[in-house]
Amino acid sequence: MKKVLGGIILLILVLLMGAPWYIGKQVQTFYTQITEESLQQNPTLDIKDLDYQRGWFSSVITGTITFKTMGDDLALPADIRFKSDVIHGPVFWAALSSGSAMGLALDHSTVWIEPVDESDPEMAAMIKEIPPFEMKSLIGFNKTISSVYSIAAYAKSIESGSSPVNIDFAGLTGNGTFNWGSKDFDFKAEMPSFSIKESENEAFIIDSLILSAAKAGGDTSARYDIAKIACNSKAANIHFVLDKAYVEALSKETGEVYNSTLETGFDRLVNNYVTFAPAKLELMLDNLDKASIDTLRETINEAAASDAMGSEMYGMMLMGKVMELLPEILKRDPKLTLTTLSLGTGDDETLTATGYAKILGEQAINLPSAAFIAQALDAEFEAALPKAFLNNFVDLGQLMQLMDQGLLVSDEMYYRTKAIVKEGHVTINGNTIM
């Protein structure tokens, strides 16, 4: 009995002592993989002075993040440094002592900014005061990392001219998950407020910015919500207010194509003396060839990695790749649908538009030139334009000319137009143009 009990105790000790070594090795492999993949997907980034010190029960990772595309004139006056303290054993004791769930390892990462040199003491002191990005993660047995992250609140008053400039950042919080096997993720971050004020007449304010994003298989989504952005500058004659704005994008992988939706809108926008309220735009882009779009992404990444992003060659390189892939893209009959365009331009006045445009791929491929694209287009668009709004931007004589040509029709409050393209024929408001 004593021998059996002794054997069990010995086995437990071996597991407790051996498991941290094995788990530490697996965690190091994971970090190496994640670093390599992140640099491949973000070719403008690089990591220098990367150091991985793996111990028996814990490891420490340090390094510096750099931007490849920044020239000497755009170089940051600071280094972006990071450090990760990883606990990988004894696993159970580490979890219990930290109050976390069980997992392979626990990670506490910090990203902060360090001044490059101390030649400008005031600038160096300001950089050192910027709060770090903190993230605590549980690396689970199922290859899923669960994280919570934050940036502490920050307030600073900078002497400038007759009155100080006050910077007030209310902090940032967020949480998310990432699976390093499937590459699926789901995260959310929120910034309550941020402001730069010199006075009530010179101020920039953001209230409640929320970002969320997710990926599951071939489907991805992202959404921004902003309660308010305001910018006032009496000296520059700027008065800008944006209330309750949002942007939401969704891409779904269906077989060999991507189908995407973009929706955006706001409750009110004020730009000096012009006010719009409310607004909504919804676009759908269907039947995008998956292989071609993935190839375009790779081309953009390669250009960024080779420092070609800002050069004249970048546009030529991208256009050349688009022309090369165009036959495959057209074969899928890509379709753009304007589901909704609604813009409030005044009391009881709203600019509206709807429509769609579909390219008939087989016909488009055989066209002698792009000038004959109408022969491969199936499209229909309709719009209503408030008179009071349009008259402020377009000469009345030009509007009358457009009505004489049948391109616009008029009623009491709106100019209206409807265009249809089918089988190579174009009609506007029932009048055949070609």
Side-chain angles (χ1 to χ4, degrees):
M1 182 65 181
K2 290 182 179 180
K3 289 184 177 180
V4 173
L5 183 59
I8 293 174
I9 293 173
L10 180 61
L11 178 61
I12 291 173
L13 288 174
V14 169
L15 289 173
L16 286 175
M17 297 302 293
W21 179 88
Y22 175 77
I23 292 172
K25 186 173 179 61
Q26 295 302 307
V27 171
Q28 183 176 5
T29 300
F30 154 71
Y31 272 99
T32 301
Q33 176 187 337
I34 289 296
T35 300
E36 291 176 352
E37 291 179 353
S38 297
L39 293 178
Q40 288 175 359
Q41 295 171 7
N42 301 279
T44 59
L45 298 181
D46 197 8
I47 296 177
K48 67 177 183 179
D49 303 326
L50 180 62
D51 184 37
Y52 197 113
Q53 297 290 334
R54 181 162 70 89
W56 199 273
F57 298 120
S58 63
S59 300
V60 178
I61 312 164
T62 58
T64 302
I65 301 171
T66 61
F67 297 89
K68 289 183 180 179
T69 56
M70 283 193 171
D72 293 337
D73 294 339
L74 297 176
L76 296 173
D79 286 333
I80 302 175
R81 299 277 297 155
F82 69 88
K83 178 182 179 183
S84 292
D85 294 302
V86 186
I87 300 174
H88 42 74
V91 179
F92 302 107
W93 172 249
L96 290 173
S97 62
S98 65
S100 303
M102 297 294 181
L104 285 173
L106 300 173
D107 178 300
H108 181 191
S109 294
T110 305
V111 180
W112 71 98
I113 302 176
E114 286 184 356
V116 173
D117 58 58
E118 303 284 342
S119 58
D120 186 341
E122 186 176 352
M123 175 63 72
M126 286 179 58
I127 291 173
K128 290 177 180 179
E129 290 177 4
I130 297 174
F133 173 85
E134 303 273 358
M135 181 169 69
K136 296 181 179 180
S137 303
L138 169 69
I139 303 173
F141 296 108
N142 60 351
K143 293 188 176 181
T144 296
I145 307 171
S146 301
S147 304
V148 294
Y149 39 87
S150 64
I151 300 176
Y154 172 76
K156 179 73 175 177
S157 182
I158 303 172
E159 293 299 327
S160 175
S162 59
S163 58
V165 176
N166 297 306
I167 301 173
D168 192 353
F169 171 62
L172 179 145
T173 58
N175 60 79
T177 61
F178 172 74
N179 186 290
W180 78 81
S182 64
K183 304 300 184 294
D184 290 346
F185 60 82
D186 185 353
F187 76 87
K188 181 178 181 179
E190 180 174 4
M191 182 187 73
S193 65
F194 172 76
S195 66
I196 302 175
K197 290 184 178 180
E198 185 174 356
S199 66
E200 289 302 319
N201 294 324
E202 303 290 332
F204 174 78
I205 300 169
I206 298 177
D207 285 338
S208 184
L209 170 62
I210 300 174
L211 166 64
S212 59
K215 176 184 177 296
D219 300 343
T220 58
S221 63
R223 181 180 174 102
Y224 292 87
D225 286 279
I226 303 172
K228 184 175 184 177
I229 296 179
C231 180
N232 286 316
S233 175
K234 188 175 182 180
N237 192 29
I238 295 174
H239 175 61
F240 176 87
V241 179
L242 178 64
D243 285 328
K244 293 184 179 178
Y246 72 94
V247 179
E248 184 173 19
L250 175 66
S251 177
K252 286 186 171 292
E253 181 182 326
T254 307
E256 297 179 344
V257 299
Y258 287 121
N259 295 322
S260 303
T261 301
L262 172 68
E263 183 178 333
T264 184
F266 55 80
D267 279 7
R268 183 177 69 116
L269 185 151
V270 179
N271 185 14
N272 287 348
Y273 307 107
V274 180
T275 300
F276 302 102
K280 182 178 180 180
L281 169 67
E282 184 176 356
L283 292 169
M284 297 173 61
L285 190 54
D286 296 327
N287 303 330
L288 288 177
D289 183 62
K290 180 179 179 297
S292 299
I293 298 303
D294 291 344
T295 300
L296 279 177
R297 289 191 185 123
E298 292 173 5
T299 302
I300 293 171
N301 285 341
E302 290 172 3
S306 64
D307 296 334
M309 185 71 81
S311 70
E312 295 179 359
M313 292 298 295
Y314 172 68
M316 297 176 61
M317 182 191 306
L318 190 59
M319 183 57 67
K321 182 59 68 173
V322 170
M323 297 306 296
E324 177 187 329
L325 298 171
L326 193 58
E328 293 300 319
I329 295 174
L330 294 178
K331 280 182 183 178
R332 302 291 182 185
D333 297 343
K335 182 180 180 181
L336 171 68
T337 304
L338 176 60
T339 307
T340 304
L341 171 58
S342 175
L343 178 65
T345 60
D347 295 337
D348 300 322
E349 292 182 355
T350 304
L351 184 154
T352 60
T354 58
Y356 71 89
K358 181 178 181 180
I359 296 178
L360 307 177
E362 292 298 330
Q363 297 179 33
I365 292 172
N366 297 316
L367 291 175
S369 74
F372 297 90
I373 190 63
Q375 297 179 15
L377 197 62
D378 176 11
E380 183 174 326
F381 285 93
E382 187 171 3
L385 312 170
K387 285 185 174 181
F389 172 72
L390 202 61
N391 289 341
N392 290 325
F393 301 96
V394 183
D395 181 73
L396 185 59
Q398 293 178 326
L399 292 171
M400 294 295 292
Q401 187 177 4
L402 291 173
M403 286 188 287
D404 290 341
Q405 295 172 350
L407 302 180
L408 285 180
V409 294
S410 173
D411 60 25
E412 184 178 353
M413 294 181 62
Y414 290 89
Y415 297 110
R416 301 181 187 275
T417 188
K418 182 176 182 179
I420 299 173
V421 182
K422 284 187 184 295
E423 299 178 352
H425 300 291
V426 180
T427 61
I428 300 180
N429 298 325
N431 303 310
T432 301
I433 304 302
M434 58 179 292

